[in-house]
Amino acid sequence: MSQDSEYGAGQIQVLEGLEAVRKRPAMYVGSTDSRGLHHLVYEVVDNSIDEALAGHCEEITVTIGADGSVTVADDGRGIPVDTHEEYDRPALEVILTVLHAGGKFDGKSYQVSGGLHGVGVSVVNALSERLDVTIRRDGGVFTHAFERGEPIGEMERIGSLEPGADTGTEITFRPDPEIFETDEFAFSTLSNRLRELAFLNSGVRIALRDERAPEADVREEVYEYEGGIREFVEYLNESRSAMHEDVIYFEDEDRNIQVEVAMQATEELQGSIHAFANNINTREGGSHLTGFKTALTRCVNDYANANDLLSDLDGNLKGEDIREGLTAVVSIKHPDPQFEGQTKTKLGNSEVRGIVESAVHEGVSTYFEEHPDTAEAIVAKAVEAAKARKAAKKAEELTRRKSALESTSLPGKLADCQSRDPGEAELFIAEGDSAGGSAKQARNPEFQAVLPIRGKVLNVEKHRLDRILENEQIRNIITAIGTGIGDEFDLDSLRYGKVIMATDADVDGAHIRTLLLTFFYRHMRPLLENGHVYATQPPLYRIRYRGETYDAMTDAERDEIVAERCDGNPTQIQRFKGLGEMNPEQLWDTTMNPENRILKRITIEDAAAADKMFSVLMGDAVGPRKQFIKDHAPEAEWVDI
Ligand code: 0RA
């Protein structure tokens, strides 16, 4: 367009479309926080993955730039650059400016996209301050640029493409700070998702580069798994002891729906089953997961009964007994997936259930016939689990009866708050009696409750439910929070909207936080999923200069404050070693007062990554744990799973 007056109806529609995205970004990318920010990357990568699944792309490179941008490059066919009939503009421009235009092109049905994904690269464009694209195809190299979704100038052909040279798409975008609350891309968040995508799409090579550090420290990881989800299961089981060497794997296709299953039984107590539909982690489950569970329960019971292995037990094994310690990945690809549920992560297509069920039935019974020793070991472990389940039920009934009968059923150590409104009530779980004591004095008793915990919390990764419920700390936490646990978890009974882990900023504090998180993750997962779990972020230093007080969270921040606010003078600097060292006033000021405190909300972005993290951190294998801690040295990186 050379002049505004030449805006046709088509262009006006385009601008209105982009305006709608900018007005309600959350409708398109879920949120404008860190999650939404990362979603922009996934959106572009999904398009490259689609190219790979269509057989046209082998390698995808994601680069976090030093200037806050992200570049996604692939060696696919390249976005078409010829003229789009309807809009009379280059197709490239149409795809980047018209909502959902990508799917309308021939041979590009965007089959495997769904949920929040698949909204189209135009959404990324609309939410970027700047987007630059380079296309290699049709014998040429083409570039185009956009600001907040609007084209800057015309698409240009800047060179020719040697015959035989790689075609492809390269998109660099800088998210718009007017839209997003944060501009900080987390390497660990991106690496978890990209690794997962590489597992789910075997053969695709995905590289992640972080160029924010000085050149010598540029970090690069490459994910490529010929074994696909088989390798995913091996990876998840790295620190678990497997009961059989080979991962059980089978695949099937029916009515254009692809099913893949990989599984391996382990000696552990925690099961770890991850279901995906079109590469989306269907955290809320759905028809594929139901089909998997039904078939597995039937196969194991059939085998056990046929071989007379259930004589110790009255009745059959329950699904949960069989899934104890089982690691599995179920991945389906569907031409028209229906995503339901609160977070649109539940697969609704009912026909999928039967297809997965028969694939699993066939695959597992064949495996059992060929590996009777493994089958028997799996049954024996499930029988153990069933016995423990029955014991736990008794223990649980006992605690429930106890708490129901006693009027003061809340733990004696809990200093409760007055408010009964979970919208405002907060629970501080404080490490150690001294921090607990300070917190009780410091708090605002109207809406802040304090539960001190002494010493280490039980490592729930290592114990079955009956033992876990015998632990007093854990019982106190359960009764204080009010929701119950496991299958009986009820979010409506939550007593505090914020459950805040108040632990020290040292190694012990990090350990206790991880133990608490492991418990929440394994037994109160909806608490994490709904964003009710927080960690305090107390400052490390307090600096006083000329009657003013400054708090610093890091050494760097301390140095900056000294340099900028204190004229570089040596000043009075106090280092807080732990919460217990602060007096109540300081504790209120720095950690509890909603006006000044910094809380970190703990979210589960990626269930498989979280599962892996807990099994590695809490498991027996020392090697993987050391490696994990080395790789994720700044703790902030792994707490935010
Ligand atoms: C529309 C049509 C075709 C490919 C693409 C879009 C495409 C989009 C993206 C986004 C990132 N990488 C991408 N690669 C391709 C089909 C092209 C054809 O039929 O040749």
Side-chain angles (χ1 to χ4, degrees), residues 44 47-48 51 74 76-80 95 102 105-108 110 121 137 169 171:
V44 182
N47 285 277
S48 303
E51 277 293 285
D74 67 52
R77 287 169 292 182
I79 301 178
I95 287 177
F105 284 76
D106 288 343
K108 191 78 196 169
Y110 276 9
V121 276
R137 72 174 277 156
T169 300
I171 294 175

Side-chain angles (χ1 to χ4, degrees), residues 1-313:
M1 284 156 276
S2 50
Q3 285 179 353
D4 281 5
S5 57
E6 285 179 25
Y7 267 36
Q11 276 75 37
I12 290 170
Q13 234 181 324
V14 166
L15 295 177
E16 281 174 352
L18 296 179
E19 198 45 40
V21 177
R22 292 181 57 83
K23 262 208 184 112
R24 297 195 204 295
M27 265 187 57
Y28 298 86
V29 291
S31 62
T32 55
D33 56 11
S34 171
R35 198 183 275 229
L37 183 83
H38 289 84
H39 192 90
L40 299 180
V41 183
Y42 306 151
E43 189 53 51
V44 182
V45 171
D46 277 355
N47 285 277
S48 303
I49 294 274
D50 282 352
E51 277 293 285
L53 291 178
H56 303 290
C57 161
E58 284 166 11
E59 180 158 9
I60 302 166
T61 306
V62 178
T63 308
I64 313 171
D67 60 351
S69 70
V70 164
T71 299
V72 179
D74 67 52
D75 59 356
R77 287 169 292 182
I79 301 178
V81 290
D82 50 347
T83 301
H84 187 282
E85 296 292 325
E86 188 188 331
Y87 287 86
D88 197 26
R89 302 291 306 158
L92 171 66
E93 191 175 293
V94 176
I95 287 177
L96 279 157
T97 54
V98 178
L99 287 180
H100 306 294
K104 290 187 191 139
F105 284 76
D106 288 343
K108 191 78 196 169
S109 57
Y110 276 9
Q111 292 211 336
V112 294
S113 301
L116 272 180
H117 298 251
V119 289
V121 276
S122 59
V123 167
V124 178
N125 192 20
L127 301 179
S128 293
E129 179 178 66
R130 167 96 190 183
L131 183 146
D132 288 276
V133 55
T134 304
I135 303 295
R136 288 160 207 281
R137 72 174 277 156
D138 301 345
V141 181
F142 303 84
T143 59
H144 207 349
F146 304 82
E147 281 175 11
R148 305 202 154 93
E150 295 187 38
I152 303 298
E154 298 287 324
M155 180 182 83
E156 279 184 65
R157 187 183 196 277
I158 59 162
S160 54
L161 200 61
E162 298 295 313
D166 263 351
T167 57
T169 300
E170 182 178 312
I171 294 175
T172 299
F173 63 94
R174 215 166 50 224
D176 191 345
E178 285 177 11
I179 304 274
F180 292 96
E181 293 145 43
T182 169
D183 60 0
E184 187 95 8
F185 287 102
F187 188 90
S188 62
T189 304
L190 291 175
S191 79
N192 283 332
R193 175 62 181 158
L194 296 177
R195 185 187 297 108
E196 186 168 278
L197 281 171
F199 280 130
L200 292 167
N201 302 282
S202 71
V204 183
R205 182 210 298 262
I206 307 180
L208 174 61
R209 262 175 85 78
D210 189 347
E211 293 184 344
R212 288 172 298 188
E215 192 150 359
D217 299 322
V218 165
R219 198 165 160 193
E220 174 155 1
E221 288 182 2
V222 179
Y223 316 111
E224 183 179 20
Y225 307 103
E226 283 305 326
I229 61 170
R230 265 164 293 208
E231 286 193 60
F232 199 172
V233 167
E234 281 168 10
Y235 171 81
L236 290 168
N237 278 349
E238 193 183 15
S239 64
R240 299 174 157 120
S241 38
M243 290 170 62
H244 49 103
E245 203 175 326
D246 292 327
V247 172
I248 307 172
Y249 173 85
F250 40 89
E251 58 191 322
D252 199 3
E253 185 171 337
D254 187 0
R255 281 167 269 168
N256 221 0
I257 299 162
Q258 281 165 258
V259 179
E260 271 189 285
V261 177
M263 53 198 269
Q264 190 175 34
T266 77
E267 305 282 1
E268 311 300 317
L269 301 176
Q270 295 301 334
S272 159
I273 300 176
H274 304 279
F276 296 84
N278 294 12
N279 291 331
I280 291 163
N281 189 335
T282 36
R283 259 190 261 183
E284 296 172 279
S287 49
H288 51 345
L289 186 61
T290 311
F292 171 79
K293 288 180 176 175
T294 310
L296 183 70
T297 305
R298 188 150 53 96
C299 278
V300 176
N301 273 306
D302 285 355
Y303 186 91
N305 284 313
N307 293 281
D308 207 11
L309 299 171
L310 298 185
S311 45
D312 285 13
L313 215 62

